[in-house]
Structure formats: structure tokens, C-alpha cells
Amino acid sequence: MSTTTEWPEGPELPTEADGGGAGARDGRGGARDGHGVSAGVRAAGFAEPGTETSGGWGARLIRGGATTEIPVHLLSRDGPAPVSVRLRPAVVGRRRSGGEQPHVPRRLPPRPLSRPAPVVDPDLVERPGRTLPGAVGVLGGLAGAVGGAASLWWGGVLPHITALPVPAGAQLGPVQWAAVAGSGALALFGLGGLARGRTGKAWVLTLFGRYRGTVRRTGLMWVNPLFLRRRTDVRLRHWRSEAMPAVDANGVALRVVILVVWRIKDTARAALAVEDHQEYLRRCVEAAMARVLSQLPADAFHQDAPTLRDAEAVGDALTKQLAADAAPVGIEVFSAQPTRIEYAPEVAAAMQRRRIAALDAQHRDSVLTSVVDSVEDTMTRLTTRGLVELDDYERKALVKDLTVAFYTGRGGDAS
């Protein structure tokens, strides 16, 4: 408990005669008592009786006032170096003495680092696949067919089926069988490799599970028939979600519908990096929607603050988040816009009543502001033009009457 020091009136400092036998003199002629305290300090009321020190000035503290503690060494420079004393803040001391706990500001927890992006095989990048014009495949198939027929005629098989003449020495031996096999393989490779490319479609080619390239050409072309082809749509597409559940920054349940415009940019990653790129995009939309919508309230009823009603800002944030999530799998997102944000059925009625109350309060505030401005303008004109001279009582009465009249008129117009 702190004490208040009473200052004596008219302290008389001791002289050399007074301090002759009381204590040793300091370097400047001042006398000290047996406790090591200057006589002048004791006479002025700064020293407490019964203080025990040793070897000059100690660490004895004097409580000056009711707020903080003052070390004695701050009052004089006599003696050795002062002892550092840690002082408590005065405001905290008063609060503790009154039973009130000091207010410690809360610090927000450190924000975690951003989530790592999905890692995809760096070698899995779209590159053009090798193809040949379709005419090459057609010629190869025709050549194989003609060669196979000639080999059968040479072996003497074809004349028995048709009315063709039998060649001399016709015999189906190993050479004839090899010619037939080669011609058939040529025909199969030539005709089996023919493919038709379409606008907005692409072929992802793989051979024994290894990516061999992407074909974006259109028209008739020839592709190695040993390649496994996977057709991929590279056109610009849009996807409109169903009403998905979400919550805003205040934890209010919402139902949100989002329209996403996207297309496949890297066919290799879209076809091979994920099992189903469309399902992956849907899940990314749900996750990005939950992160973005939980940062703002759906409505700010009594304050001017950003809300989820700003579709442009919410759409930009959602597009940026979704594009970052879908880029590693070769999907390019152009826009992700919320087409509908409404309250969940279980809270829709309560939030509608709250919104109506907020609009009514806002309207009343605007009307009252307009009335006060009109009254102020009227009083200023009457006073500055000298039309009336009013004392304080008459001025207050006139302000009251004008306020009632203007507010009644504005209220009737608004209703």
C-alpha cells in the first residue's frame, strides 16, 4: 500500500557545527548521519527513520505520491553508482490496488502459411504427337490389300475362288505365306491407323502406359495403331453448380450457386494427372467457395463494410483461388462467379426480419438527418437576415416546433 509523504514547512539544513559529531562529512561539506544518509536529505523529509544502509547510498526506495516508487539515488549524486530498480507502470499499480485486473491486449494467432500447391510430375507436359497425313494410311492400306491378293493368286488360292487363270507352278509355300502375312500387316497398319480429328477435340496418345503426345489436328490423319487414344474435349465450357451449402464470416448458413467458365489447357495433365478432371474441378469449386465466403459477412446491417453482396469482388477472389487450385492439373479457369447467394431455409425468415429492421432504422436516420439540416438552415436564415430577434427560450421553442413540423411532413411523405 502506497503512502503519501508530508513535506515539512521550512526545513532548516544543518550547518557544520550541527553535524560535527553526528557523522562524517562528504566531499562538498555536507554532513551524513550514522546510517549514511545526508543530513540535508533527512531534514527535508526524504529519508525514513530506521533505514539501515551500508557503505553509502543503498537501494532503499521512497514512495512519493500514490502512483509509483522513486529510488533515493535519483535525488542526489553522492556516493557510489546507483542500483537499477525495475519499476512497475503506475496505471497497472492503481488497477491492482483497486481490485481491477490490468487489460492485456489479445494478439491474433499467427496466420498459417499458405497451403502447398499440388505437385505433378514435371515431365508430364503436353507435347505434339507424331502423325502422318491420312493419304499415307490410305495408300498403305490399299498397297497391303493388293499385295495380299497377289500373294494368294501366286499361291494358287485365288484362282480356285475366282475365274482367274492359274499361274504356272502355283504352290502355297513358306514364301507365299510370308508375302500374305506382310501384305495383311501393311493393310492393317495402313487402314487401322486412320483417324479423324475434330475441331475442339484432341487425342491423348499413350503406348504401354507412357505418354507419347497429343494430337490437336483436324481432318483425316494417320496415327500409329499401337497407340492407345483418349479423346479429350478442349473447347471452352461452363459448369453451373447446384445450390451448395456454405457459411459466411458470422457462421450464418448460406446456399450458393456458382457458374464456372473453364477449358483444358494441358491435355496430358488433365487426362493422366487425375482420375477425372471434371470431378476434381467440382471439388476445387467447393473448397474455394468455402474459403472465400467465410471471410466476409453476407450482410452488414448497421455498418458500412464489405459484404458478400459485392458479386464483383467475391467473383474475383473466387476466380483467383480456383485458378490456382486447378492449374496444376492442366485446367484453365477464366471466371467463377456466384450467381445466387441466399440464406439457408432454416435462417432465411430471421435474417429477412433483421434486414427489414436495418432498412427501417437506416430510413429513420436519413429522415432525421434531413429534418435537422432543414431546421438548422431555417434558423440560420432567420437569424442572419434579421427577420426575428429571439432570446434563448424563444429560440428553443421555435427549434422544437420546426422539428416537429418537418418530421411530421417527412414521415407522412415517406409513408
Side-chain angles (χ1 to χ4, degrees), residues 138-228:
V138 172
L139 292 177
L142 293 177
V146 172
S151 301
L152 292 176
W153 177 78
W154 182 25
V157 177
L158 194 60
H160 294 285
I161 302 175
T162 61
L164 294 176
V166 179
Q171 183 181 2
L172 193 60
V175 177
Q176 286 76 12
W177 280 114
V180 171
S183 300
L186 180 60
L188 289 177
F189 265 78
L191 300 178
L194 293 177
R196 183 182 62 176
R198 299 180 181 179
T199 303
K201 303 289 184 177
W203 293 100
V204 178
L205 308 178
T206 57
L207 179 62
F208 304 118
R210 185 178 179 183
Y211 175 65
R212 304 301 296 178
T214 300
V215 179
R216 291 178 177 258
R217 292 177 55 181
T218 58
L220 187 63
M221 55 187 169
W222 183 86
V223 183
N224 190 341
L226 296 179
F227 289 164
L228 180 62

Side-chain angles (χ1 to χ4, degrees), residues 36-55:
V37 181
S38 176
V41 174
R42 176 178 293 279
F46 287 105
E48 299 180 0
T51 304
E52 296 295 336
T53 58
S54 60

Side-chain angles (χ1 to χ4, degrees), residues 4 23 29 34 43 91 96-97 107 123 131 146 148 160 168 207 210 215 271 283 289 319 376 387 399:
T4 304
V91 177
R96 289 182 176 177
S97 61
R107 294 184 178 181
D123 296 333
T131 59
V146 172
H160 294 285
L207 179 62
R210 185 178 179 183
V215 179
R283 298 295 175 255
M289 178 195 65
T319 301
E376 182 182 5
L387 299 179
V399 168

